Amino acid sequence: MTMTPPRTTDGTPAVPGPSPAPAARAADRPTDVAPPTSRFLAKATLVTAALTAVGSLLGLGRDQALSYLFGAGPETDAFLVAWTVPEFAATLLIEDGLAIVLVPMISVAVARRAQGAPGDPVRSLVATTLPRLSLAFMAAAATLIAGAPYLVKVLAPGLPDPGLAVDCTRLTATCVFTFGLAGYCSAALRAHHRFMAPAAIYVAYNTGIIAAMFVLGGRWGVRAAAIGVAVGGGLMIMSQLPSLLQVLRRKSATVIEAAEPERPMDLALVSTVLLFGLCRQSQVLIERFLGSTLPAGAISHLNYAQKVAQIPMTFSLMLCTVTFPVVAQALAAGDAERARSRVEKDLALVSCIVLFGAAVIVACAPQIIELLFQRGAFTGHDTAATASVMRVYALGLLGHAMVGALVRSYFSTRRPSWYPLAAMATGILVTSCIGAFTAGSWGVLGIAAANATGITVTALLLLYGVGGRGVPIRVRQVVAEMSRPVCAAVVAAALGLFCASRVDTPVIGLAVGSAVVSVVFVALARALGAAGFTPALHSVTRRLPYVRNR
């Protein structure tokens, strides 16, 4: 199924701006660039949510398979050091890095093609950027493969078996190339308002890892998981290739040949975005570095806790993934007011979703971890340690979600800004200082607390500075709005924790705790008038002001 925004009554896409040339009204004119209507946004968000849910479930299955087959010890610690590479690559090349540069750029090219620009601006842009980026991805992957021993030494100097981590790192380093191509495909498709294939990439990715672990685990040990990363990266590309070829093969809006290629990417913009992504993901480096000095299994406990705790954040940001091209196109058209309204509504909804998820995690962490992981080599001690860490991680989930949402506002204008990098660097400094001070006495809990504190500081700095550097949102109003679901989440988490802890059976305890959190959060959010609870949710299916009526 291809989600394509509808046409206007005269049969041409409803693109704002000057009337297109007669040649642009031809029957072969592309239909995938029309500003999205309310029905399209709802459909895109629903599809993205469904595929995100499947990908997240498979991600849990991947972690369950890892814990079941290899437990939480030196072998998994070695793999998780190598796992740092795909974690960085996913952030930089698929999620918050390259996509932030490419989506607005390709969106402008798509709009130009729809308005009858000479030649095909989309194909010209792809021909200009994709070969150069592919060479860069390949060179980066080769560098990591060659330098794997040094990378492992820097990331985790305390590992008892660095050789295993080196082997796994060389296998996972291939994802720099495959993730780069997959991220380019995703950005191009989202700019064309195609969301199904990009949302399905983690379904393909995690399927490849799980299959490799079960098929090859008996012979290759934890190296099988690293092989799965290499296979899964290729599946990411293959799952998007048919859709990408379809949009690129569309006939140009005019028969006039292009006289000049699209201008190359702004290196300053690319630098600021990628450096921000590197800085943000370096929180993982700090955790792995500090965790390598603790008893065996510490890195594994941090990893399992973080993966589960991030699920509410992933779902909360799926709306921003759908609306990011919309905001970029609104700003390109000079419609800052509509962009501001869209971003403010997104922030309200994101805060409600992630705070509800955080409340459930705080209330039911032991039950969740026991049901998900406590089998095979994963013991009750591992469950208790992971659950404690996950509760601390949950305290920083709102900060993580706000950073993910706000950084899009800074870079959707297609102008370089060093402020997000400075804000993220400040948060990393806070994380490093607190982690170094508390890891010795608090262990993994101190590392998790440092993560939560550092990302919250970054979120506050980004919120403070967004008015003059990104989409001009009303900061005070946004902060006042977020305080309502925060209050509801605190009360709901406390009552849910009290009720869940009174039940011995994990399934029943999770059901009771989740039910209490749901009832209390919904009641308080409505009583406090949290905009993200109903009006912002309704805004997802509401016609955007700058979309023409048909």
Side-chain angles (χ1 to χ4, degrees):
M1 178 181 65
T2 299
M3 295 179 297
T4 303
R7 292 170 171 255
T8 55
T9 52
D10 66 355
T12 60
V15 177
S19 298
R25 299 191 184 101
D28 62 357
R29 180 170 177 171
T31 63
D32 55 351
V33 296
T37 62
S38 59
R39 182 176 298 179
F40 171 77
L41 276 183
K43 187 178 181 181
T45 304
L46 179 61
V47 170
T48 302
L51 290 173
T52 298
V54 175
S56 296
L57 288 174
L58 286 172
L60 283 176
R62 176 202 67 212
D63 293 338
Q64 286 177 320
L66 185 68
S67 66
Y68 176 77
L69 294 172
F70 310 110
E75 193 173 15
T76 51
D77 284 355
F79 168 72
L80 291 173
V81 171
W83 182 256
T84 304
V85 176
E87 284 181 321
F88 264 77
T91 298
L92 293 177
L93 304 177
I94 298 177
E95 296 163 8
D96 296 335
L98 199 61
I100 293 177
V101 177
L102 289 175
V103 169
M105 182 182 300
I106 300 175
S107 296
V108 171
V110 170
R112 288 186 58 213
R113 180 174 65 179
Q115 294 171 355
D120 191 327
V122 176
R123 293 183 187 177
S124 178
L125 179 62
V126 171
T128 302
T129 57
L130 183 56
R132 297 176 183 177
L133 288 173
S134 298
L135 289 175
F137 300 148
M138 191 179 301
T143 301
L144 287 174
I145 291 172
Y150 306 100
L151 180 62
V152 169
K153 187 175 181 179
V154 171
L155 292 178
L159 278 182
D161 185 9
L164 178 59
V166 170
D167 291 344
C168 292
T169 300
R170 284 179 168 148
L171 290 166
T172 59
T174 59
C175 75
V176 175
F177 178 70
T178 55
F179 280 22
L181 295 182
Y184 193 99
C185 294
S186 296
L189 289 172
R190 286 169 180 160
H192 284 82
H193 299 154
R194 304 292 185 91
F195 297 97
M196 179 177 291
I201 60 175
Y202 287 108
V203 176
Y205 176 61
N206 288 320
T207 299
I209 298 176
I210 294 170
M213 280 195 288
F214 279 104
V215 173
L216 304 175
R219 181 177 180 181
W220 296 97
V222 80
R223 291 177 180 85
I227 295 173
V229 172
V231 173
L235 294 177
M236 280 183 165
I237 300 172
M238 299 305 297
S239 65
Q240 298 181 96
L241 200 55
S243 297
L244 181 64
L245 292 176
Q246 184 182 21
V247 299
L248 292 180
R249 284 173 179 169
R250 290 185 179 277
K251 294 182 179 180
S252 175
T254 176
V255 295
I256 302 175
E257 294 185 0
E260 58 180 285
E262 292 293 310
R263 59 178 181 142
M265 291 185 292
D266 187 335
L267 291 180
L269 176 60
V270 174
S271 299
T272 56
V273 172
L274 292 184
L275 287 174
F276 172 84
L278 278 171
C279 193
R280 180 181 182 184
Q281 198 63 24
S282 64
Q283 282 192 315
V284 177
L285 297 183
I286 296 170
E287 292 181 3
R288 302 271 162 83
F289 182 87
L290 295 174
S292 69
T293 64
L294 299 176
I299 294 177
S300 300
H301 296 149
L302 287 165
N303 174 76
Y304 293 133
Q306 188 180 65
K307 290 296 186 296
V308 178
Q310 284 180 346
I311 291 176
M313 181 191 70
T314 301
F315 279 97
S316 68
L317 290 176
M318 66 186 178
L319 176 65
C320 296
T321 300
V322 173
T323 60
F324 180 44
V326 176
V327 173
Q329 290 171 0
L331 290 174
D335 206 344
E337 177 62 24
R338 270 68 176 198
R340 177 197 63 77
S341 176
R342 181 72 260 167
V343 171
E344 288 182 355
K345 291 171 183 176
D346 288 350
L347 290 174
L349 182 57
V350 164
S351 63
C352 272
I353 294 175
V354 76
L355 285 169
F356 171 75
V360 172
I361 287 173
V362 170
C364 307
Q367 293 84 355
I368 294 172
I369 297 300
E370 182 174 352
L371 289 172
L372 289 177
F373 299 115
Q374 190 171 318
R375 58 184 62 86
F378 199 90
T379 66
H381 169 73
D382 295 323
T383 294
T386 304
S388 298
V389 174
M390 191 166 71
R391 277 175 169 156
V392 179
Y393 267 135
L395 302 180
L397 283 181
L398 179 60
H400 280 288
M402 289 297 104
V403 169
L406 287 169
V407 73
R408 291 171 169 82
S409 299
Y410 280 91
F411 295 119
S412 58
T413 60
R414 300 182 66 199
R415 295 194 304 267
S417 173
W418 294 99
Y419 182 82
L421 177 60
M424 193 70 245
T426 302
I428 290 298
L429 179 62
V430 172
T431 299
S432 302
C433 293
I434 295 178
F437 182 75
T438 60
S441 54
W442 292 3
V444 289
L445 296 181
I447 297 174
N451 180 301
T453 305
I455 199 65
T456 301
V457 169
T458 298
L460 292 174
L461 290 174
L462 288 177
L463 190 59
Y464 172 80
V466 71
R469 299 174 179 87
V471 178
I473 64 173
R474 296 165 294 185
V475 176
R476 291 186 179 180
Q477 181 173 324
V478 169
V479 172
E481 175 53 44
M482 284 194 297
S483 66
R484 298 185 179 97
V486 167
C487 294
V490 170
V491 177
L495 293 177
L497 174 61
F498 175 81
C499 296
S501 63
R502 296 297 184 272
V503 182
D504 295 330
T505 306
V507 175
I508 299 177
L510 177 59
V512 171
S514 300
V516 171
V517 169
S518 300
V519 171
V520 174
F521 184 84
V522 169
L524 286 179
R526 294 188 64 178
L528 294 172
F533 183 73
T534 48
L537 183 61
H538 178 261
S539 74
V540 178
T541 58
R542 178 177 160 189
R543 186 180 301 276
L544 295 177
Y546 59 87
V547 176
R548 295 181 184 176
N549 293 321
R550 295 189 294 133

